[in-house]
């Protein structure tokens, strides 16, 4: 499927038929596996695609703190609260690396923030679902961070240097996040009948939205062919989704939980699990802003931004004061 995507991308370029010498040289560097760095020449399309993807990714890390933040004050033990706080702080850090990586492409942090707060910019669909019980915190770790790792490990090898390098640390931290989620779920599944039921209920609600995180099916993915050609995407949405299903089935079995898909079954010929149809109308409704929590998430981010104005102004006033005091540089 990936090879097909690259072929489609190449066909588009041939159809355009008007690649300048500079554009040919740029594509040749990518084909040779050379990393593109901020000061290198790049096509406008490549720059825009990366700004779109990296800023969406950064926004996802920032908004992704909200569903889990809902449980900080209600974590069942001090140990779980400390782990959850550390995880949420890591997500803030991921947002910062990613905003910095996007800034190297010529967009300002202020512009990205404005786009998020106005609702113009996208962030991952998954963060528009509510965390109704403590088991949901475990599901986010196991399924959401699990999906993030599957998606992001290939990004460590993508063609844009600052994005690829940022992903290395992000993936290491995500691995810890996924394990904490699975560990939390193991405790619940070994606990009382009610605790196990709580875990099953959470799996029923998070399974399908987690599979949607990988994006629309390949035939509907508008950006894939070009992103594959530029080695921003190394695997297709459906390939990574299949990897997620194959990885999660034995993990669910170990927990003693049932994946809510009656069509899920091992296909020996393909060497993969077959799985049921995804309700893409739900995905597109969430993307349009009509998921269960879209409005709430944006309202919370806007309030946090407004409430922090006094702090930003104070920091700016302090910086201005020090700049004024600094003696002029000797000629
Ligand atoms: N949600 O042509 P396609 C995390 C959009 S953070 C919303 O396949 P592309 C974590 C897509 O943007 C997880 N929108 O697009 C954080 C496009 O619309 P535009 C975030 C989605 O870019 C805290 C349209 O649909 N990870 O893990 O080739 C705590 C058509 O799609 C989604 C990343 O951002 C979605 N799920 O592929 C815990 C990873 N899917 O932009 C965990 C980096 C698709 O043309 N991003 N869309 O208007 C990617 O790898 C790619 O951007 C995607 C989509 C695979 C997501």
């Amino acid at each position: 499927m990936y090879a097909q995507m690259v072929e489609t991308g190449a066909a588009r370029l041939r159809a355009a038929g008007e690649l300048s010498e500079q554009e040919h040289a740029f594509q040749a560097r990518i084909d040779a596996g050379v990393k593109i760095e901020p000061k290198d020449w790049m096509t406008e399309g490549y720059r825009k695609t990366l700004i779109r993807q990296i800023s969406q990714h950064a926004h996802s890390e920032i908004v992704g703190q909200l569903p889990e933040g809902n449980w900080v004050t209600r974590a069942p033990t001090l140990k779980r609260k400390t782990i959850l706080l550390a995880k949420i702080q890591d997500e803030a850090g991921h947002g910062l690396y990613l905003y910095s990586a996007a800034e190297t492409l010529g967009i300002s942090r202020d512009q990205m923030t404005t786009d998020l707060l106005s609702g113009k910019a996208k962030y991952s669909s998954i963060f528009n679902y509510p965390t109704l019980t403590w088991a949901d915190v475990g599901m986010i770790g196991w399924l959401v961070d699990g999906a993030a790792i599957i998606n992001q490990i290939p990004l460590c090898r993508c063609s844009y240097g600052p994005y690829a390098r940022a992903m290395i640390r992000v993936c290491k931290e995500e691995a810890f996040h996924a394990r904490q989620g699975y560990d939390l779920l193991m405790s619940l599944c070994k606990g009382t009948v009610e605790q196990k039921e709580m875990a099953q209920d959470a799996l029923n609600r998070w399974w399908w939205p987690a599979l949607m995180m990988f994006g629309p099916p390949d035939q509907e993915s508008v950006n894939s062919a070009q992103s594959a050609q530029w080695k921003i995407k190394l695997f297709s949405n459906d390939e990574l989704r299949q990897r997620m299903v194959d990885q999660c089935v034995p993990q669910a079995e170990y927990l003693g939980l049932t994946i809510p898909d009656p069509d899920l079954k091992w296909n020996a010929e393909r060497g993969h699990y077959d799985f049921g149809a995804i309700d893409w109308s739900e995905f597109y409704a969430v993307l349009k802003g009509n998921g269960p929590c879209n409005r709430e998430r944006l309202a919370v981010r806007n309030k946090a931004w407004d409430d922090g104005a006094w702090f930003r102004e104070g920091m700016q006033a302090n910086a201005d004061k020090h700049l004024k005091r600094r003696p002029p540089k000797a000629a």
Side-chain angles (χ1 to χ4, degrees):
M1 181 47 82
Y2 178 72
Q4 212 176 320
M5 268 164 47
V6 175
E7 191 40 49
T8 316
R12 268 193 208 163
L13 290 181
R14 279 196 300 276
E18 284 162 6
L19 282 195
S20 67
E21 221 169 280
Q22 208 168 20
E23 286 166 337
H24 268 299
F26 173 73
Q27 186 61 48
R29 291 186 73 201
I30 290 179
D31 294 344
V34 176
K35 287 266 180 281
I36 306 299
E37 297 297 338
K39 288 187 178 157
D40 294 344
W41 185 88
M42 60 186 82
T43 65
E44 263 320 286
Y46 181 80
R47 183 189 302 277
K48 281 195 184 137
T49 297
L50 279 168
I51 289 178
R52 177 184 65 77
Q53 177 164 328
I54 301 174
S55 63
Q56 283 175 5
H57 195 164
H59 298 325
S60 304
E61 302 283 355
I62 298 301
V63 178
Q65 296 175 96
L66 301 178
E68 292 178 302
N70 183 29
W71 280 91
V72 170
T73 56
R74 292 176 288 158
T77 65
L78 184 59
K79 185 178 145 205
R80 291 285 179 205
K81 190 198 283 264
T82 321
I83 295 172
L84 184 57
L85 274 171
K87 176 187 189 305
I88 295 172
Q89 278 184 3
D90 285 351
E91 308 299 0
H94 299 173
L96 298 189
Y97 316 145
L98 286 159
Y99 283 129
S100 299
E103 279 176 313
T104 65
L105 291 153
I107 185 169
S108 71
R109 175 83 177 265
D110 280 347
Q111 184 59 53
M112 289 184 273
T113 305
T114 306
D115 290 348
L116 172 64
L117 297 179
S118 70
K120 182 178 165 211
K122 287 193 172 81
Y123 56 86
S124 182
S125 50
I126 194 74
F127 300 119
N128 293 304
Y129 291 85
T131 40
L132 303 179
T133 70
W134 174 246
D136 291 7
V137 173
M139 280 307 153
I140 292 184
W142 174 35
L143 298 180
V144 176
D145 289 279
I149 294 168
I150 290 174
N151 171 274
Q152 288 165 195
I153 291 277
L155 288 174
C156 298
R157 291 186 284 120
C158 78
S159 60
Y160 189 56
Y163 193 26
R165 289 189 289 275
M167 279 302 111
I168 294 171
R169 178 161 173 183
V170 170
C171 284
K172 285 188 179 152
E173 292 176 350
E174 297 292 14
F176 149 67
H177 299 169
R179 268 183 236 147
Q180 70 81 34
Y182 198 73
D183 178 69
L184 189 168
L185 291 170
M186 279 209 295
S187 297
L188 288 181
C189 292
K190 280 194 226 144
T192 62
V193 172
E194 287 82 1
Q195 283 174 318
K196 191 155 183 198
E197 277 172 5
M198 194 199 279
Q200 182 62 57
D201 168 67
L203 178 57
N204 295 347
R205 286 181 289 106
W206 286 90
W207 176 250
W208 294 106
L211 293 189
M212 292 174 199
M213 280 179 74
F214 296 92
D218 290 349
Q219 68 274 16
E220 288 173 29
S221 168
V222 284
N223 302 303
S224 278
Q226 183 58 81
S227 289
Q229 186 67 27
W230 282 327
K231 294 201 176 151
I232 296 170
K233 266 184 153 166
L234 301 186
F235 296 95
S236 80
N237 297 355
D238 286 334
E239 280 168 343
L240 295 179
R241 197 175 354 262
Q242 179 71 60
R243 210 173 274 186
M244 169 87 176
V245 174
D246 292 347
Q247 177 178 298
C248 287
V249 173
Q251 292 171 342
E253 278 167 8
Y254 187 78
L255 290 170
L257 297 178
T258 307
I259 290 182
D261 179 356
D263 297 324
L264 188 70
K265 85 169 180 301
W266 178 249
N267 183 327
E269 220 169 284
R270 288 200 314 123
H272 293 289
Y273 282 92
D274 289 336
F275 55 98
I278 295 177
D279 178 3
W280 289 109
S281 64
E282 176 181 323
F283 172 77
Y284 289 116
V286 174
L287 256 56
K288 278 203 189 118
N290 298 322
C293 300
N294 294 60
R295 286 171 193 82
E296 184 188 327
R297 299 288 183 244
L298 271 194
V300 171
R301 279 312 306 154
N302 272 287
K303 182 172 183 318
W305 181 254
D306 294 344
D307 289 351
W310 67 273
F311 184 74
R312 291 191 301 278
E313 282 159 17
M315 293 291 279
Q316 191 59 52
N318 192 43
D320 291 346
K321 200 168 78 186
H322 284 291
L323 275 178
K324 265 189 218 147
R325 270 204 212 136
R326 197 179 288 166
K329 271 191 193 150

